Amino acid sequence: MQNALKELILQMADDALVLGHRNSEWTGIGPMLEEDLAFSSMAQDKIGHALALYTILHEHMGEPDPDKLGFMRKEEEYRCCQFVELPIGEYDFTLARHFLYDHAELIRYEMLVNCPFEPLAQMARKVRGELKYHVLHADTFLRELARGTEESKARMQAAIRYAWPYALGMFEITDADAQLAAAGAYAGEKERRSRWLSTVSSIINDAGLQVPEPDEAKAIYGGRKGYHSEYLKPLLDEMTEVVRLDPTAEW
Amino acid sequence: MYGSTNLTEQDAKRMSDTSAEDPQKLAEFEDRIARGEKIEPDDWMPAEYRRQLIRMIEQHAHSEIVGALPEGTWITRAPNFRRKLALIAKVQDEIGHGQLLYSAAETLGKTREQMLDDLLNGRSKYSNIFNYPAKTWADIAVIGFLVDGAAIVNQVINSKGSYGPYCRALERICYEESFHLKQGHDNFVYLATGTKQQREMLQDAINRWYRPLLHFFGPPDHLSAHSEKLMKWKVKLASNDDMRNQFLDQYVPKILELGLTLPDPNLRKNADGRWEFSDPDWEEFKRVINGDGPCNKERLAVRRYAELAGRWVREALMKPNDTYKVPLA
C-alpha cells in the first residue's frame, strides 16, 4: 500500500511540475496582459503543489528532498502523463489543455479529501479551493471563445479534438490503482475518468461545441509507466540546465 | 530609466512655449503643484503636461513588459523550487506593473492598444537596459539586485511627482519592487559566496551589466536637453546625474564588500561625495536607443508575436456593443 500511494503521489507531483513548467512559458507572451498574469499565477500554484507533494514523499515516505525529486531524476523515472508534456502551442491548445486537465485535477483532489493517509488528505482539502479558480478561469474562457467569432469557435473545437486522446491518457491505470481502491485510499482512475467525462461533456455541450467520442482505444498512454513523449527529455534538460552546472553547489 | 524624462531639443522647445494655454488656468495649475497637490485625470492641465506624462508613463509600462522577457526565459531553468517560485512571482509582478501603468496612462487619453501599437512601430521606447541579453543564471542575480535597485531609485523619486494616478501606481510598484530586490540580493549573495564557478559567473555578469547600468539613468546633465517646466510641473524630480550618483552610492559598496570588482579603474568617490567613472560610451547608448542594440530586434519580435498570435483571442472577446471605458485610477 505504501508503494502504491507513493506511485499516486508521484504521478500527481510530476503532472503538476511539468504542466506548471509549460504554463510558465506564457510569461510575457500571452494574448493580453491579463492572461499572462493568469497563466503565471496558475504556474505558481502548480509548481507549488508539486513542491508540496514531493515534500510529503520526502518527509513521510523516505524519498530524497524535493529539489532532488523534482529536478534530478532520469526521464523514465517521471510519472506524468504525456498530455502535460506537450509544448504550449498556441493559446487555443493551451486553453483546451488547461480546461481538460484542471477538471481532472480537481476531481482527483476531491477524491482524496478523505484519504486515510492524512498528509495527502490535508493537502487535498487545501488545494481543492485553489483549483476551483483554475477551473473557473478555464470554463469562462472556453465558453467565451466558443461563442466568440467563427475563428475562435473553430479553433477551440479543433483544439479539443486534438487534445482529447492525450486527455484520455491522464487516466492510465497502473498496478497501484487496484491496491489503493482496495485500501479505500483512492477510488481509482476509472472512477475519476467517468466523473471527468460527465463534467467536461456538459460544459463543452453548453458552450456549443461537440464532445469527441470517449474512445478508450485512442487514449495515449505510457507516461504513468515511464514511457514519455519526445517532448519531456528536452523539457527536463532545460529545467536542469543551471543546477547541472554543479549539482553539489548551493543555488 | 523606466519612465524617461529625457527630452529631445525639439521637445524642450515645445515645453517652454505655453503661449497657447489660458494664462489664468495655467497659473492656477502651477499654484496647485507648488502647494504639493496632485493633479487628477479630470482636472485642467496644459497640453504639454499631458503629452509628456503619456510619453513617460507609457514608456515605463513598456519597460515593465519588455523587461519581463529576459528574466522570463530563465523561469524554466531556475535551479531549484525556491528560486523558481520566486522568479515566476517576480516576473509576474512586472507584467502586473505594466498593466497598472497602462491604466494610469489611459487616464490621460491614450488607449492600451494604441500604446502597444506604438511600441511595435517604434514610436515609443522602453528602457534601454532591456536590449541587453541575460546570458547566464548570474545575469538574473544582477538584474534582480542591480537593475531593480536602479529602477527603485528612479521610481521612488518619480512617485513624488504631481500626477495622482501615476504616483499611486508607483507607490504600489515600489512596495513590490522592494521584495524583488530582496530576492535579487539573496540570489546575488549565494553566487558571490558560492563555488569558484558561481563567483566567476557573477563577476562576468557584473562586468557586462556595468555600462548598461550607468546608461540606465540617461545621458549626463550637461548633454541632456533641459526643461525648467518639467521640474516646475513635477514631472521630472531629479537630474540624471543625481539619480545615478544615488544609485552608485547605495550599490557600489554592497558589490565591493562581497569581494567582487567593477570593470572601471576610474570609478571612485571624490572629495565632494560625487562618484566619478570612465566615459561609459554615450554613443553606444544612442545607438542602442535608436534600435541597434544586441537584443532590440529580438525583444520587439517577441512582442509582435504575442500581439499577432493573440489577436484572434482579443477579437473573440470583444463585444460588438461595448464602448471604450477609461480605467479608474
Side-chain angles (χ1 to χ4, degrees), chain B residues 233-270:
Chain B
W233 290 349
K234 294 188 187 164
V235 172
K236 189 178 178 73
L237 292 111
S239 82
N240 296 353
D241 284 341
D242 285 350
M243 287 193 282
R244 189 166 19 244
N245 202 62
Q246 188 184 329
F247 169 72
L248 292 170
D249 230 13
Q250 282 177 1
Y251 290 90
V252 170
K254 292 191 172 95
I255 297 167
L256 300 182
E257 82 186 11
L258 286 163
L260 299 156
T261 59
L262 288 159
D264 182 356
N266 298 317
L267 179 73
R268 64 183 190 93
K269 201 172 180 173
N270 68 22

Coordinates of all heavy atoms in Angstrom, one line a residue, chain B residues 233-270:
Chain B
W233 N 6.7 71.5 -13.1 CA 5.4 70.8 -13.1 C 5.5 69.4 -12.3 O 4.6 68.6 -12.4 CB 5.0 70.5 -14.5 CG 4.5 71.7 -15.2 CD1 4.2 73.0 -14.7 CD2 4.2 71.9 -16.6 NE1 3.8 73.8 -15.6 CE2 3.8 73.2 -16.9 CE3 4.3 71.0 -17.7 CZ2 3.5 73.7 -18.1 CZ3 4.0 71.5 -19.0 CH2 3.6 72.8 -19.2
K234 N 6.7 69.2 -11.8 CA 7.0 68.0 -11.0 C 6.7 66.7 -11.9 O 6.1 65.8 -11.4 CB 6.2 67.9 -9.7 CG 6.7 69.0 -8.7 CD 6.1 68.8 -7.3 CE 6.5 70.0 -6.5 NZ 5.7 70.1 -5.3
V235 N 7.1 66.8 -13.1 CA 7.1 65.6 -13.9 C 8.5 65.0 -13.8 O 8.7 63.8 -13.7 CB 6.8 65.9 -15.4 CG1 7.0 64.7 -16.3 CG2 5.4 66.5 -15.5
K236 N 9.5 65.8 -13.8 CA 10.9 65.4 -13.5 C 11.3 65.9 -12.2 O 11.0 67.1 -11.9 CB 11.8 65.9 -14.6 CG 13.2 65.3 -14.6 CD 14.1 65.9 -15.7 CE 15.5 65.5 -15.7 NZ 15.6 64.1 -16.1
L237 N 11.8 65.0 -11.3 CA 12.1 65.5 -9.9 C 13.6 65.4 -9.5 O 13.9 66.0 -8.5 CB 11.3 64.6 -9.0 CG 9.8 64.9 -9.1 CD1 9.0 63.7 -9.7 CD2 9.2 65.4 -7.8
A238 N 14.4 64.8 -10.3 CA 15.8 64.8 -10.0 C 16.6 64.7 -11.3 O 16.1 64.1 -12.3 CB 16.1 63.6 -9.1
S239 N 17.8 65.2 -11.3 CA 18.5 65.1 -12.6 C 19.1 63.7 -12.8 O 19.3 63.0 -11.8 CB 19.7 66.2 -12.5 OG 20.8 65.7 -11.8
N240 N 19.5 63.4 -14.0 CA 20.0 62.1 -14.3 C 21.3 61.8 -13.5 O 21.5 60.7 -12.9 CB 20.4 62.0 -15.8 CG 19.2 62.1 -16.7 OD1 18.0 62.1 -16.2 ND2 19.4 62.2 -18.0
D241 N 22.1 62.9 -13.4 CA 23.4 62.7 -12.7 C 23.1 62.4 -11.2 O 23.8 61.6 -10.6 CB 24.3 63.9 -12.9 CG 24.9 63.9 -14.3 OD1 25.0 62.8 -14.9 OD2 25.4 65.0 -14.7
D242 N 22.2 63.1 -10.6 CA 21.9 62.9 -9.2 C 21.3 61.5 -8.9 O 21.7 60.9 -8.0 CB 20.8 64.0 -8.7 CG 21.5 65.4 -8.6 OD1 22.7 65.4 -8.6 OD2 20.7 66.3 -8.4
M243 N 20.5 61.1 -9.8 CA 19.9 59.7 -9.6 C 21.0 58.7 -9.8 O 21.1 57.7 -9.0 CB 18.8 59.4 -10.6 CG 17.5 60.2 -10.3 SD 16.1 59.6 -11.2 CE 16.4 60.3 -12.8
R244 N 21.9 58.9 -10.8 CA 23.0 57.9 -11.0 C 23.9 57.9 -9.8 O 24.4 56.8 -9.3 CB 23.8 58.3 -12.3 CG 24.8 57.3 -12.7 CD 25.3 57.5 -14.1 NE 25.0 58.9 -14.6 CZ 24.2 59.1 -15.7 NH1 23.6 58.2 -16.3 NH2 24.1 60.4 -16.1
N245 N 24.2 59.1 -9.2 CA 25.1 59.2 -8.1 C 24.5 58.5 -6.9 O 25.1 57.8 -6.1 CB 25.3 60.7 -7.8 CG 26.6 60.8 -7.0 OD1 27.7 60.5 -7.4 ND2 26.4 61.3 -5.7
Q246 N 23.2 58.7 -6.7 CA 22.5 58.0 -5.6 C 22.6 56.5 -5.7 O 22.9 55.8 -4.7 CB 21.0 58.4 -5.6 CG 20.3 58.0 -4.3 CD 18.8 58.3 -4.4 OE1 18.4 59.4 -5.0 NE2 18.0 57.5 -3.8
F247 N 22.4 56.0 -6.9 CA 22.5 54.6 -7.2 C 23.9 54.0 -6.9 O 24.1 53.0 -6.1 CB 22.1 54.2 -8.6 CG 22.4 52.8 -9.1 CD1 21.7 51.8 -8.6 CD2 23.5 52.6 -9.9 CE1 22.0 50.5 -9.0 CE2 23.8 51.3 -10.3 CZ 23.1 50.2 -9.8
L248 N 24.9 54.7 -7.4 CA 26.3 54.3 -7.1 C 26.6 54.3 -5.6 O 27.2 53.4 -5.1 CB 27.3 55.1 -7.9 CG 27.2 55.0 -9.4 CD1 28.0 56.0 -10.1 CD2 27.7 53.6 -9.9
D249 N 26.1 55.3 -5.0 CA 26.3 55.4 -3.6 C 25.8 54.3 -2.8 O 26.3 53.8 -1.8 CB 25.7 56.7 -3.1 CG 26.6 57.6 -2.3 OD1 27.8 57.3 -2.3 OD2 26.1 58.5 -1.6
Q250 N 24.6 53.8 -3.2 CA 23.9 52.7 -2.5 C 24.5 51.4 -2.8 O 24.6 50.5 -2.0 CB 22.4 52.7 -2.8 CG 21.6 53.8 -2.1 CD 20.1 53.8 -2.5 OE1 19.7 53.0 -3.3 NE2 19.4 54.7 -1.9
Y251 N 24.9 51.2 -4.1 CA 25.2 49.8 -4.5 C 26.6 49.5 -4.7 O 27.0 48.3 -4.5 CB 24.4 49.5 -5.8 CG 22.9 49.4 -5.5 CD1 22.0 50.5 -5.5 CD2 22.4 48.1 -5.0 CE1 20.7 50.3 -5.2 CE2 21.1 48.0 -4.6 CZ 20.2 49.1 -4.7 OH 18.9 49.0 -4.3
V252 N 27.5 50.4 -5.0 CA 28.9 50.1 -5.2 C 29.5 49.4 -4.0 O 30.1 48.4 -4.0 CB 29.7 51.3 -5.7 CG1 31.2 51.0 -5.6 CG2 29.3 51.7 -7.1
P253 N 29.3 50.0 -2.8 CA 29.8 49.4 -1.6 C 29.3 48.0 -1.4 O 30.1 47.1 -0.9 CB 29.4 50.3 -0.4 CG 29.0 51.6 -1.1 CD 28.6 51.3 -2.4
K254 N 28.0 47.7 -1.7 CA 27.5 46.4 -1.5 C 28.1 45.4 -2.4 O 28.3 44.2 -2.1 CB 26.0 46.4 -1.8 CG 25.2 47.2 -0.7 CD 23.7 46.9 -0.9 CE 22.9 47.5 0.3 NZ 22.4 48.9 0.0
I255 N 28.5 45.8 -3.6 CA 29.2 44.9 -4.6 C 30.6 44.6 -4.1 O 31.1 43.5 -4.0 CB 29.2 45.5 -6.0 CG1 27.8 45.7 -6.5 CG2 30.0 44.7 -6.9 CD1 27.6 46.6 -7.7
L256 N 31.3 45.7 -3.7 CA 32.7 45.5 -3.3 C 32.9 44.7 -2.0 O 33.8 43.9 -1.9 CB 33.4 46.9 -3.1 CG 33.4 47.8 -4.4 CD1 34.1 49.1 -4.1 CD2 34.0 47.1 -5.6
E257 N 31.9 44.9 -1.1 CA 32.1 44.2 0.2 C 31.9 42.7 0.0 O 32.3 41.9 0.9 CB 31.1 44.7 1.3 CG 29.7 44.2 1.2 CD 28.8 44.9 2.2 OE1 29.1 45.9 2.7 OE2 27.6 44.4 2.3
L258 N 31.4 42.2 -1.1 CA 31.3 40.8 -1.4 C 32.6 40.3 -2.1 O 32.6 39.1 -2.5 CB 30.1 40.5 -2.2 CG 28.7 40.6 -1.4 CD1 27.6 40.6 -2.4 CD2 28.6 39.4 -0.5
G259 N 33.6 41.2 -2.2 CA 34.8 40.7 -2.8 C 34.8 40.7 -4.3 O 35.6 40.2 -5.0
L260 N 33.7 41.4 -4.9 CA 33.6 41.4 -6.3 C 34.2 42.8 -6.8 O 34.5 43.7 -6.0 CB 32.1 41.4 -6.7 CG 31.5 40.1 -6.3 CD1 29.9 40.2 -6.2 CD2 31.8 39.0 -7.3
T261 N 34.4 42.9 -8.1 CA 35.0 44.1 -8.6 C 34.1 44.7 -9.7 O 33.2 44.1 -10.2 CB 36.4 43.9 -9.3 OG1 36.2 42.9 -10.3 CG2 37.4 43.3 -8.2
L262 N 34.4 46.0 -10.0 CA 33.7 46.7 -11.1 C 34.7 47.0 -12.2 O 35.8 47.4 -11.9 CB 33.0 47.9 -10.6 CG 31.7 47.6 -9.7 CD1 31.3 48.7 -8.8 CD2 30.6 47.1 -10.6
P263 N 34.3 46.8 -13.4 CA 35.3 46.9 -14.5 C 35.7 48.3 -14.9 O 35.5 48.7 -16.1 CB 34.6 46.1 -15.7 CG 33.2 46.4 -15.4 CD 33.0 46.5 -14.0
D264 N 36.1 49.1 -14.0 CA 36.4 50.5 -14.3 C 37.4 51.1 -13.3 O 37.1 51.4 -12.2 CB 35.1 51.4 -14.2 CG 35.3 52.8 -14.6 OD1 36.4 53.2 -14.8 OD2 34.3 53.6 -14.6
P265 N 38.7 51.2 -13.8 CA 39.7 51.6 -12.9 C 39.5 53.1 -12.4 O 40.1 53.5 -11.4 CB 41.0 51.6 -13.8 CG 40.5 51.6 -15.2 CD 39.1 51.0 -15.2
N266 N 38.6 53.8 -13.1 CA 38.4 55.2 -12.7 C 37.2 55.4 -11.8 O 36.9 56.6 -11.4 CB 38.3 56.1 -13.9 CG 39.6 56.1 -14.7 OD1 40.7 56.1 -14.2 ND2 39.4 55.9 -16.1
L267 N 36.6 54.4 -11.4 CA 35.4 54.5 -10.6 C 35.9 54.8 -9.1 O 36.6 54.1 -8.5 CB 34.6 53.2 -10.6 CG 33.3 53.2 -9.7 CD1 32.2 54.1 -10.3 CD2 32.8 51.8 -9.4
R268 N 35.5 56.0 -8.6 CA 35.8 56.3 -7.3 C 34.9 57.5 -6.8 O 34.4 58.2 -7.6 CB 37.3 56.7 -7.1 CG 37.6 58.0 -7.9 CD 39.1 58.3 -7.9 NE 39.3 59.6 -8.4 CZ 39.4 60.7 -7.7 NH1 39.2 60.7 -6.4 NH2 39.5 61.9 -8.3
K269 N 34.9 57.6 -5.5 CA 34.1 58.7 -4.9 C 35.0 59.9 -4.7 O 36.1 59.7 -4.0 CB 33.5 58.3 -3.6 CG 32.3 59.1 -3.2 CD 31.6 58.4 -2.0 CE 30.4 59.1 -1.5 NZ 29.7 58.4 -0.5
N270 N 34.7 61.1 -5.2 CA 35.7 62.2 -5.0 C 35.4 62.9 -3.6 O 34.5 62.5 -2.9 CB 35.6 63.2 -6.2 CG 34.3 63.9 -6.3 OD1 33.6 64.0 -5.3 ND2 34.0 64.4 -7.5

